[in-house]
Amino acid sequence: AELRKASKRLTCHKRYKIQKKIREHHRKVRKEAKKRGHKKPKKDPGVPSAAPFREELLREAEQRKQRLEELKQKQKLNRQKEHEKKRKLEAKKNAAKIKEKAEGKESSGKSKTKNNKWLDKNSKKSFCRELKKVIEASDVVLEVLDARDPMGCRCPQLEQAVTCCGGDKKLLLVLNKIDLVPKENLEKWLNYLNKEFPTVAFKSATLMKDKTMVQFTKRRAHADLSRTTEYFGCKCLLKLLQEYGKTQNKAIQVGVVGFPNVGKSSIINSLKGVRACNVGLTRGVTKSMQIVHVDKQTKMLDSPSIIADPSNHVLALALRSIIDTEESGSEDVLEGVDAILNHCSKQQVMMHYSIPDFRNTEEFLTLIAQKRGMLKKGGVPDIENIAKLLLCDWTGAKISYHSQPPGSQGLPPYLTEDKIAEMHKCFNLKNLEVENNTTVQALKYPSPASSIIFQSVGMTDGMIEENKVIEEASEWENLETSKEGEEEEEDFTESDDDQDDMEVEENVKEVTRKGKLGKQQTSPANSETQIAESEHSNSLALSLDKTADADDAYDFNTDYV
């Protein structure tokens, strides 16, 4: 016998109960809809057939719809890309964690040694080591100076090391980026520097003719490449070096040294006529000695940048330090921008950036951020990134500014008249002067009105000796150690007391650093005013304490009418 299906019949009581519940639910939904004010969307009535310009209006409406759809699709694609990036990052992190767990302690030890080796290549000490190698190996040392601030680019420690080492080692000054200063100012600097060392006027090519340049022209056909590909002063410099080589009767090695972003590698590329060395806006691109053969008689030695001494002025550290602006702290960058503004004409800065008057550095940066559209979420100006961009502009070849040479020719202590005569020996100075004049006449220069007047701080102290370098937590170390720090945080947790102690130590360090900067910038008059203010504040605090004690001592026996 077949099994019967279960009956769907219900008792009346149960059926009525279900129906009641459904009615209540529908009532509730209607009530909520009334509260929200949710109404059916009205249909678009469209354009009446009798309306004038009906076809044009319809066409415009269709175009608007298409634009909206395209925008939505773009947004969707961007969202998908971001999600994919996040997924990939998470997958990489997970894979790394799994690997580390599998390998264990031995593999972690090996990876640490590898990291240490990598850090050693990019540490300040290795930079000094490589720089010293270049100085020792070279017969002629070219100290590259930025024509906008030649005095700020000179390193007394380097000049002393070359002049006092003995032998036939020569020092030449190469005044680069001469197209960014007025003609009169350039002539003054050439006259001033030639009295100490033989100086060559030079304009290096920032872009060389190779595959990268072809791609650049395809993408941006409107870009003016004449300024970036042309170079001047090559013949003059090569003649000088070749003549010196003939006097020595041997192939000479020429070391190219200087502070970051002065154009060391681009000078070598200009002399070679091909992109032989890597060039970039970021500071510290060259990390080791590179040998480039210009011809049979001359070898060029590219060197890492000179490391600026931390005891230098804030302005010198902002323009000449080796730390990359993209990775350095926001406080250092803001201090650097503030120092630049303090050493420039305010009106000229306003004219250059075409912005209204500003009271302080933050206001200046906000105005530029708003003008360039560098805004964060909610329309807040991105001050940190605009400050980094400004520093790159001032160290790169974008902004035209110039500093005046000192009024009196005061020789540094390591230079004597005999040393100067020794440095000038074996060089044809008359030919050098003629060649410099031809390069000066060939170039176009900015007008003195458009170039910003800049007050130089003077020579920048550098660290050449490896022993004197105090290894700080450099940007490269932070990049590597941050990964190790994330791993260690999982295993090791500090107590609350230890964290408090660490915070106190950090605050003390910040206070001392700010105090040092203040000492460098403030004059004796300012210090007196600060002392007076502090005394005044102390007296105010004492008087406030006294009044507080007097208020607390209330006599309840006395009656007040």
Side-chain angles (χ1 to χ4, degrees):
E2 289 181 9
L3 290 166
R4 286 183 183 179
K5 287 180 182 178
S7 176
K8 290 182 182 179
R9 286 193 294 179
L10 297 168
T11 56
C12 292
H13 172 71
K14 203 170 187 179
R15 201 181 330 122
Y16 296 146
K17 200 176 183 181
I18 290 162
Q19 285 171 3
K20 194 181 178 184
K21 287 252 174 136
I22 290 163
R23 281 198 300 274
E24 280 174 7
H25 172 72
H26 286 314
R27 204 180 299 130
K28 197 177 183 182
V29 168
R30 283 198 297 274
K31 221 177 192 180
E32 282 175 4
K34 267 186 188 178
K35 279 180 185 176
R36 270 185 271 134
H38 183 72
K39 291 176 183 178
K40 286 180 182 178
K42 286 183 179 179
K43 283 184 180 179
D44 184 24
V47 182
S49 56
F53 313 108
R54 184 171 181 267
E55 288 178 5
E56 287 177 17
L57 288 166
L58 287 166
R59 212 178 294 124
E60 281 176 7
E62 278 176 20
Q63 283 173 359
R64 256 185 252 125
K65 272 186 182 177
Q66 281 177 355
R67 277 183 219 140
L68 282 166
E69 281 172 2
E70 283 171 3
L71 257 172
K72 280 178 183 176
Q73 282 176 350
K74 278 181 184 177
Q75 286 171 353
K76 203 176 184 181
L77 284 166
N78 288 334
R79 271 188 238 117
Q80 283 174 355
K81 281 177 184 176
E82 283 174 1
H83 284 308
E84 280 174 15
K85 278 182 185 177
K86 282 178 183 177
R87 279 176 202 151
K88 281 176 183 176
L89 282 167
E90 284 173 0
K92 278 181 183 177
K93 282 179 184 177
N94 292 329
K97 281 178 184 177
I98 291 158
K99 271 186 183 179
E100 279 161 19
K101 283 176 183 177
E103 285 167 2
K105 289 179 182 179
E106 289 176 13
S107 61
S108 65
K110 284 176 186 176
S111 65
K112 276 178 186 176
T113 52
K114 280 181 186 176
N115 288 339
N116 290 335
K117 281 179 187 175
W118 191 83
L119 289 173
D120 189 51
K121 277 185 184 179
N122 295 305
S123 66
K124 288 182 181 179
K125 281 187 179 179
S126 77
F127 273 49
C128 286
R129 210 180 301 129
E130 292 293 316
L131 184 66
K132 211 167 185 186
K133 265 191 213 172
V134 171
I135 294 163
E136 284 170 4
S138 52
D139 302 305
V140 179
V141 177
L142 302 181
E143 188 180 9
V144 185
L145 312 176
D146 192 330
R148 296 172 291 181
D149 181 21
M151 216 63 184
C153 295
R154 284 181 71 178
C155 177
Q157 286 78 12
L158 171 84
E159 289 176 11
Q160 192 175 355
V162 175
T163 52
C164 301
C165 70
D168 293 330
K169 213 180 280 286
K170 302 286 179 187
L171 182 71
L172 281 173
L173 300 179
V174 180
L175 206 60
N176 195 19
K177 302 181 186 180
I178 57 170
D179 59 320
L180 298 171
V181 292
K183 193 179 177 181
E184 293 168 6
N185 184 258
L186 174 63
E187 286 168 350
K188 281 180 188 175
W189 272 112
L190 283 169
N191 291 331
Y192 179 84
L193 294 167
N194 268 316
K195 288 171 186 175
E196 292 182 24
F197 297 103
T199 310
V200 181
F202 204 95
K203 192 263 167 188
S204 57
T206 50
L207 273 174
M208 297 309 294
K209 290 185 178 180
D210 62 349
K211 289 175 185 177
T212 54
M213 191 193 152
V214 173
Q215 288 170 2
F216 186 85
T217 50
K218 279 178 186 173
R219 269 183 278 163
R220 298 182 188 178
H222 65 275
D224 181 25
L225 293 167
S226 61
R227 190 161 167 253
T228 52
T229 52
E230 283 181 350
Y231 47 88
F232 299 88
C234 274
K235 285 180 184 178
C236 175
L237 188 56
L238 279 169
K239 259 189 190 179
L240 266 183
L241 296 171
Q242 282 163 0
E243 282 171 10
Y244 180 73
K246 282 173 187 176
T247 57
Q248 297 296 308
N249 293 321
K250 63 168 187 177
I252 56 162
Q253 291 188 328
V254 183
V256 184
V257 295
F259 283 103
N261 279 115
V262 289
K264 299 181 292 297
S265 300
S266 55
I267 283 170
I268 294 168
N269 290 342
S270 301
L271 291 167
K272 180 78 175 167
V274 183
R275 190 174 178 176
C277 303
N278 284 330
V279 181
L281 280 170
T282 52
R283 304 182 192 184
V285 173
T286 310
K287 288 168 183 135
S288 59
M289 185 173 80
Q290 288 179 309
I291 301 163
V292 178
H293 293 262
V294 176
D295 54 38
K296 287 178 181 179
Q297 295 299 313
T298 47
K299 272 185 196 177
M300 303 300 290
L301 308 177
D302 194 11
S303 69
S305 304
I306 301 165
I307 292 155
D309 201 298
S311 62
N312 280 310
H313 194 272
V314 188
L315 180 69
L317 290 170
L319 296 173
R320 309 279 164 246
S321 60
I322 208 161
I323 296 163
D324 189 5
T325 49
E326 287 177 11
E327 292 157 2
S328 55
S330 59
E331 282 181 19
D332 299 333
V333 176
L334 288 169
E335 279 171 10
V337 174
D338 188 37
I340 289 166
L341 289 174
N342 290 335
H343 288 79
C344 287
S345 168
K346 192 180 180 181
Q347 287 181 338
Q348 282 185 321
V349 169
M350 283 158 62
M351 287 282 283
H352 178 81
Y353 290 105
S354 58
I355 52 165
D357 192 14
F358 54 90
R359 285 170 290 180
N360 51 20
T361 313
E362 280 188 24
E363 196 176 333
F364 165 73
L365 291 169
T366 50
L367 285 165
I368 291 169
Q370 283 166 355
K371 196 188 172 190
R372 293 191 183 179
M374 285 186 78
L375 306 168
K376 290 182 185 175
K377 243 184 182 181
V380 179
D382 195 354
I383 290 168
E384 285 178 26
N385 283 331
I386 200 77
K388 287 171 185 178
L389 202 135
L390 275 171
L391 268 186
C392 282
D393 288 355
W394 278 79
T395 50
K398 275 197 174 183
I399 294 166
S400 169
Y401 62 91
H402 66 277
S403 58
Q404 294 296 331
S408 58
Q409 186 94 27
L411 292 173
Y414 54 85
L415 264 184
T416 57
E417 287 181 5
D418 296 332
K419 284 268 170 75
I420 291 165
E422 195 184 316
M423 287 293 144
H424 283 97
K425 206 187 278 183
C426 303
F427 292 116
N428 193 339
L429 297 173
K430 284 182 181 178
N431 278 348
L432 173 62
E433 198 175 332
V434 171
E435 289 287 340
N436 276 340
N437 284 331
T438 54
T439 52
V440 167
Q441 295 301 323
L443 268 164
K444 284 182 180 179
Y445 299 94
S447 63
S450 63
S451 182
I452 298 165
I453 298 162
F454 180 78
Q455 291 175 356
S456 183
V457 186
M459 287 189 185
T460 308
D461 291 327
M463 291 189 286
I464 294 165
E465 293 295 323
E466 196 184 330
N467 303 330
K468 290 179 182 178
V469 177
I470 300 158
E471 233 6 283
E472 295 170 0
S474 64
E475 297 306 314
W476 297 292
E477 286 177 1
N478 290 341
L479 284 167
E480 288 298 311
T481 51
S482 61
K483 291 175 185 176
E484 290 175 14
E486 284 173 4
E487 292 163 12
E488 285 172 10
E489 274 175 12
E490 291 175 4
D491 303 326
F492 178 71
T493 52
E494 288 179 352
S495 64
D496 294 336
D497 297 335
D498 292 342
Q499 284 176 350
D500 292 337
D501 294 336
M502 288 287 280
E503 283 171 10
V504 169
E505 282 174 12
E506 282 171 10
N507 291 333
V508 169
K509 282 177 186 173
E510 281 178 15
V511 168
T512 51
R513 189 167 64 79
K514 284 176 184 175
K516 282 177 187 174
L517 291 171
K519 280 175 189 175
Q520 286 173 3
Q521 288 178 336
T522 52
S523 60
N526 292 340
S527 62
E528 285 173 17
T529 52
Q530 283 174 359
I531 291 158
E533 281 173 8
S534 62
E535 284 174 1
H536 179 65
S537 61
N538 290 335
S539 62
L540 274 168
L542 285 164
S543 61
L544 284 166
D545 291 336
K546 282 173 186 176
T547 50
D549 293 335
D551 291 338
D552 291 336
Y554 178 80
D555 190 7
F556 287 95
N557 295 325
T558 56
D559 293 327
Y560 294 93
V561 182

